Amino acid sequence: MNFLELLKKPNLIAAHRGDRSQKPENTLSALESSIGKCDFIEIDVQLTKDLVPVIIHDNTLGRTSNVSKIKKFEERTPWRVSDFTLEELQSLDFGSWFYHEYEPILTLKKALLFAKEKHLFLNVEIKDMSGAFADEIVVQIIIDMIKKTKTEHLILLSSFYHPYLPICKKHSPNIPTAALQMYKHPSDLIEYLHALQVDAYHPEDKITNQKTVASLRKAGFFVNVFTVNQTKRQKKLFDWGVNAIFTDFLV
Ligand code: G3P
Ligand code: MG
C-alpha cells in the first residue's frame, strides 16, 4: 500500500509531531510511541546550516532543546536552526525540556529509515525556509533523501509555503503532496489547488466547514484537518467526509 491508497481508507488518525503528549515532539521516541496508535505520523523538516534535513518544528532551538543553557551558544541567539550545523545540533538535548531523559536531534534520514523498518506512513511537513535557502535546494535535498532511502511509497509531503509543492511534483511526481492552510482559504480554492498539482488540502480546524469539505472531496482532493484533539469534533469532521485528522492525543 502507498500513501494515496492509505488516504482512501476512512477516519484516519495522524500523530501530530509524533506521540507528542507522551514524548518530546519530533523525536525518535515520539515516533516509536506512536506505533499502533495512529494511521500515519506527521513530522516537521528543516535544513541545518550545512544542509542536512532535521526534524524540528520551530525555526529556533529555544523551546525544544537545552540550547539556552549551553555557554558556548549564548552569543548565537535567536538560535535559528538554519544557523547551526548538524554537529552542533548533535551536541544538544531535545528531551530535557519535556522530561528527565536525553533525546538527540532526529535527522530526516533516520526518521525515513525507521519508517521503512517499521512500515510506518509519514507526512513530512516542509517548514518555510525561504528566508534562508533557495526553494529548489530545499526540495531537492528532501526528495533526494526520500529517494535514497527508497521510502517514496510511505511519504506525503506538505507545506504552508506553497511554492515548494509544484517543485516537489516536478522532482517526484509519485510522492503525494498537500497544501497546508491557516486563517483563510485561498480564493478560488479548487482551481488554486489544481494549479499547485496537490493531492490533498490540510486546513486548520478553525476554517474547516461542511460545504468546503464537500466541494474539495467532490473535486477529488483528500482533506486532512489539523489539529483536532476533541473526539466529538473528530467525529463530526469524519461525518463531513474528512479523510484524516491530526491530533496531539493518541489512544
Ligand atoms: O501538518 C499539520 C500541522 O503540523 C501544521 O501545523 O505548526 O503544527 O506544523 P504545525
Ligand atoms: Mg507540522
Side-chain angles (χ1 to χ4, degrees):
M1 184 164 59
N2 62 31
F3 211 116
L4 278 184
E5 286 160 353
L6 172 75
L7 285 173
K8 288 178 190 152
K9 295 188 168 207
N11 305 356
L12 298 170
I13 300 290
H16 184 221
R17 308 181 201 169
D19 193 3
R20 72 185 290 244
S21 67
Q22 301 301 314
K23 300 283 176 179
E25 65 183 49
N26 283 324
T27 62
L28 192 62
S29 294
L31 264 61
E32 222 158 20
S33 178
S34 310
I35 296 175
K37 304 181 196 165
C38 64
D39 300 289
F40 64 93
I41 303 169
E42 187 260 2
I43 54 175
D44 305 287
V45 69
Q46 298 185 56
L47 297 184
T48 63
K49 188 180 179 181
D50 49 343
L51 303 179
V52 180
V54 290
I55 307 306
I56 182 166
H57 177 271
D58 300 359
N59 61 9
T60 54
L61 299 162
R63 182 178 63 88
T64 59
S65 82
N66 62 341
V67 70
S68 64
K69 300 197 178 80
I70 309 293
K71 185 125 184 58
K72 68 173 175 186
F73 293 140
E74 74 185 8
E75 310 273 281
R76 303 270 296 272
T77 52
W79 303 301
R80 276 189 209 92
V81 177
S82 59
D83 290 338
F84 282 69
T85 63
L86 177 66
E87 195 180 350
E88 287 173 332
L89 294 183
Q90 283 170 332
S91 74
L92 297 175
D93 177 3
F94 289 81
S96 56
W97 68 277
F98 187 84
Y99 61 6
H100 294 293
E101 277 177 57
Y102 161 83
E103 298 285 350
I105 185 79
L106 177 59
T107 61
L108 178 63
K109 184 178 182 184
K110 198 158 185 190
L112 294 173
L113 290 174
F114 183 75
K116 190 157 92 168
E117 184 195 334
K118 305 283 181 190
H119 309 287
L120 306 171
F121 288 100
L122 286 185
N123 171 198
V124 177
E125 180 189 338
I126 309 175
K127 286 292 168 194
D128 181 354
M129 290 166 264
S130 55
F133 306 105
D135 298 355
E136 276 281 349
I137 301 278
V138 169
V139 172
Q140 183 81 60
I141 288 171
I142 292 164
I143 300 241
D144 278 355
M145 189 56 77
I146 296 170
K147 287 186 174 168
K148 200 167 140 191
T149 54
K150 298 193 186 335
T151 49
E152 290 102 315
H153 60 297
L154 298 175
I155 305 301
L156 167 68
L157 289 168
S158 62
S159 190
F160 283 110
Y161 181 70
H162 299 166
Y164 289 148
L165 300 168
I167 308 176
C168 290
K169 275 287 165 191
K170 186 180 77 182
H171 287 293
S172 190
N174 295 332
I175 302 178
T177 56
L180 275 155
Q181 191 68 38
M182 280 177 95
Y183 311 123
K184 194 176 178 292
H185 299 294
S187 45
D188 303 317
L189 179 59
I190 304 286
E191 293 93 285
Y192 179 81
L193 296 177
H194 277 304
L196 289 178
Q197 301 169 267
V198 293
D199 303 276
Y201 185 55
H202 291 186
E204 70 167 327
D205 186 23
K206 243 185 267 171
I207 61 167
T208 304
N209 60 59
Q210 188 168 14
K211 199 172 149 219
T212 312
V213 172
S215 68
L216 286 159
R217 295 295 298 123
K218 198 171 159 219
F221 294 104
F222 295 104
V223 183
N224 307 321
V225 180
F226 70 95
T227 302
V228 192
N229 290 333
Q230 310 263 329
T231 318
K232 213 172 132 190
R233 178 65 178 172
Q234 293 172 357
K235 194 183 168 310
K236 183 173 244 176
L237 291 167
F238 288 139
D239 287 346
W240 290 352
V242 162
N243 301 92
I245 61 90
F246 297 86
T247 179
D248 297 318
F249 298 96
L250 304 174
V251 285

